[in-house]
Amino acid sequence: MGLVGIEQNKSIKMLTIVTVIFTPPILIAGIYGMNLDQMSEMKMIFGYPLSLLLMLLSSLALFLFFRWKKWL
C-alpha cells in the first residue's frame, strides 16, 4: 500500500506542475481573446507576437523554476 501511495503522489505532483506551467499562457490567451478595442497592445505592430512571446516566456520561466527546484 505504501508504494502505491508514493506512486500516486508522484503522478499528482507531475499533473500539478504541468497545470501550473500551462496556466499563464491560458490566462494571457483568455485576456487577449476578449477582442477589446481599448487594449493598446492590439494596435501595435508587434502586439500579437509580443503576446505570444510573453506566453512562451512565462511557461519557460516556470519550467526552469521547477527544474531548478528538482521537481521535474
Side-chain angles (χ1 to χ4, degrees):
M1 288 297 275
L3 292 176
V4 172
I6 291 171
E7 288 299 318
Q8 285 179 341
N9 285 344
K10 288 181 183 177
S11 298
I12 295 298
K13 183 178 179 180
M14 184 58 67
L15 287 173
T16 303
I17 289 171
V18 169
T19 302
V20 168
I21 288 173
F22 286 111
T23 298
I26 292 171
L27 175 67
I28 295 167
I31 291 169
Y32 279 94
M34 289 187 220
N35 295 326
L36 298 174
D37 291 333
Q38 294 86 4
M39 295 180 79
S40 60
E41 294 90 1
M42 299 308 271
K43 294 182 176 96
M44 293 170 49
I45 295 172
F46 296 110
Y48 184 70
L50 185 65
S51 65
L52 289 177
L53 181 67
L54 182 63
M55 290 181 210
L56 181 68
L57 288 177
S58 63
S59 291
L60 185 64
L62 285 170
F63 177 75
L64 292 174
F65 175 75
F66 287 128
R67 287 287 247 190
W68 177 65
K69 289 287 213 176
K70 296 189 179 13
W71 290 351
L72 282 178

